[in-house]
Amino acid sequence: MTRFLMLICLLGFLRTQGQSNFETSFSDNPRPSRQDIRIPILDSLGNEGVLPISILKGKTKGPIFTIVAGVHGFEYPPIMGVQELLQELDPAKLSGDLIIIPLASVGSFYGREPFRNPQDNVNLNNAFPGIQNGTITQKTAYFITENIIPVTDIFLDIHGGDAPEDLLPFICYYDNKKKPEQTQLAKKLSETSGFEYVVSYPYSLSDDDPAKYMFKQAVQDGKTGVSIEAGKLGNVQKEAVEMVKNGVYNMLRELNMYDHPTRQVENIIRRNHQVYVRSTKQGIFYSSVKAGDKVEEGQLVGYTTDEFGNVLEEYKASISGIILYKLATPPINIGDTVMCISAYL
C-alpha cells in the first residue's frame, strides 16, 4: 500500500473512531455522569489536533444544551469562564444534558494566533458547515455540524474581543422569522441571561447558503442559537469571566436545568440594527472613542495615517448609536472592521 493510501485509510479510521467515541459517550453514559473525551482531528496536509468535549449527563432527561468556547483561541475570558464552569457544574444537580467544547480551536489557542488556526490559516468561525475532507479547521467545523449540532436543543457560542478588539459585553441571537419558536426561546434566554445589552441580528439565510458562523449554523439547522460576547484585548478580565458564568447559569436556570444563585439586571438595553465601519487603507489607526460610547451620525470616530503621520483615511459614524466593538490597537489593514455601531430601530 502506498503512503498516500495509508494516510487516507488512517484519516477514515480516525474520523469513524471520533464519531463512535462521541456517539457512544453521549448515548451510553449512565445518569448522572461526566465523561471527557478528545476527538482526533487530522488532515491530508499532516496537521494534527484534537477536539476536546465534556459530556455531562444529568440526573434526569431534559434539554440538551451545548456550550462552546475558544472558537477563536485568543478570546481568553470565554475559555477561562468555561474552565471554571467545568469545575463547578455537578451532574447530580443537572436535569438534561450538557455538551461542552471548552476549546474549539486548539491550534489557534496554543499557537497564540488571533482569529485563525495557524496550522491551516483558516478561521473556524468562517468555516461552517465545514468540509469532510478539508483542512484541520474545516474538518473541525464539519464534525461539529454533523455530530454536535444535530443532537442539540440549545446551542451557546461564547466569544469575546480578540487580541486587537475593545468590546462592550452583550448577548445576541438571530431574529429568524422562519423558526419563530426557536427565535422566541433565544430571545427569552438572552433577556434572562443577566447581560444588560441584548442584540438581535437579522436572519436571511436560505437552507443552502453556507452559514460560516458556528451559532448561525445551529440556527440554520433549526436549533435555538445564542452567543455571548464578553472580554477584550487578549486578556483575562475577571469581571468578563464572571459575566460568562453568570450568563450560562441564568440560561440553565431559565430552562429548569440547573439551580444556581445568579445576578440579573434591572433594565435591558435592546439593539437590533448594526452597521460596520471598515478600512480601505493600511496604516496606523487612531481613535479617541471606546466600546460602549455613544456616537452621533457623521461624528469623526477615527482615522488612519501612513508611517510619516500623513492622514490617509478618516472614519465617520454612519448612524447614531453605541459602539459594540472596535479596533483598539494601532495596526490597521485593508478590509479591517474599524468598529460596529449598534442602534435600536
Side-chain angles (χ1 to χ4, degrees), residues 70-73 75 105 108 113-128 130 135-138 140-141 159 162 165 212-214:
V71 169
H72 294 139
E75 295 174 357
S105 185
S108 172
E113 181 73 23
F115 305 113
R116 295 179 176 86
N117 181 352
Q119 292 175 293
D120 58 2
N121 201 35
V122 174
N123 182 344
L124 179 58
N125 210 36
N126 200 36
F128 283 82
T135 66
I136 188 168
T137 303
Q138 293 167 338
T140 299
H159 286 265
D162 217 300
E165 294 174 337
K212 295 186 178 180
Y213 309 136
M214 179 181 284

Side-chain angles (χ1 to χ4, degrees), residues 220-245:
Q220 186 181 47
D221 291 348
K223 310 300 180 178
T224 296
V226 184
S227 183
I228 284 173
E229 294 275 359
K232 57 187 179 182
L233 292 168
N235 291 305
V236 180
Q237 300 94 27
K238 183 178 180 180
E239 61 273 19
V241 172
E242 290 302 317
M243 284 181 187
V244 167
K245 292 168 54 181

Side-chain angles (χ1 to χ4, degrees), residues 57-285:
K57 306 283 283 188
K59 61 183 186 292
T60 60
K61 290 185 178 181
I64 300 170
F65 193 110
T66 292
I67 301 169
V68 184
V71 169
H72 294 139
F74 228 108
E75 295 174 357
Y76 296 139
I79 295 169
M80 301 313 295
V82 170
Q83 288 297 305
E84 293 190 14
L85 284 167
L86 283 171
Q87 302 307 312
E88 296 173 6
L89 288 163
D90 182 357
K93 298 178 180 179
L94 174 69
S95 298
D97 302 332
L98 292 175
I99 302 171
I100 300 178
I101 301 176
L103 196 54
S105 185
V106 172
S108 172
F109 178 77
Y110 288 113
R112 298 189 179 95
E113 181 73 23
F115 305 113
R116 295 179 176 86
N117 181 352
Q119 292 175 293
D120 58 2
N121 201 35
V122 174
N123 182 344
L124 179 58
N125 210 36
N126 200 36
F128 283 82
I131 301 173
Q132 183 174 7
N133 295 313
T135 66
I136 188 168
T137 303
Q138 293 167 338
K139 293 183 73 170
T140 299
Y142 182 83
F143 183 91
I144 293 170
T145 300
E146 294 296 314
N147 295 276
I148 307 296
I149 293 175
V151 300
T152 297
D153 296 313
I154 300 97
F155 194 96
L156 172 63
D157 185 13
I158 311 178
H159 286 265
D162 217 300
E165 294 174 337
D166 183 22
L167 179 136
L168 176 71
F170 65 95
I171 189 167
C172 59
Y173 65 96
Y174 283 103
D175 187 11
N176 183 2
K177 306 296 186 185
K178 301 176 185 177
K179 304 286 184 181
E181 184 177 341
Q182 290 89 336
T183 299
Q184 185 60 34
L185 179 55
K187 180 175 182 288
K188 181 68 172 178
L189 292 174
S190 297
E191 292 176 343
T192 57
S193 66
F195 279 82
E196 181 180 16
Y197 286 88
V198 174
V199 177
S200 63
Y201 290 104
Y203 182 88
S204 58
L205 283 185
S206 71
D207 291 341
D208 297 326
D209 289 335
K212 295 186 178 180
Y213 309 136
M214 179 181 284
F215 98 101
K216 198 171 190 177
Q217 182 69 53
V219 172
Q220 186 181 47
D221 291 348
K223 310 300 180 178
T224 296
V226 184
S227 183
I228 284 173
E229 294 275 359
K232 57 187 179 182
L233 292 168
N235 291 305
V236 180
Q237 300 94 27
K238 183 178 180 180
E239 61 273 19
V241 172
E242 290 302 317
M243 284 181 187
V244 167
K245 292 168 54 181
N246 188 66
V248 171
Y249 280 128
N250 273 320
M251 285 185 270
L252 292 177
R253 193 173 192 176
E254 178 65 27
L255 294 163
N256 296 314
M257 293 182 68
Y258 204 88
D259 192 11
H260 185 88
T262 55
R263 300 187 315 276
Q264 289 289 342
V265 293
E266 292 185 5
N267 298 305
I268 294 173
I269 301 174
R270 295 174 176 83
R271 290 291 182 266
N272 62 3
H273 180 66
Q274 285 68 241
V275 298
Y276 302 88
V277 180
R278 303 190 191 277
S279 169
T280 64
K281 303 290 184 181
Q282 183 183 63
I284 300 172
F285 176 64

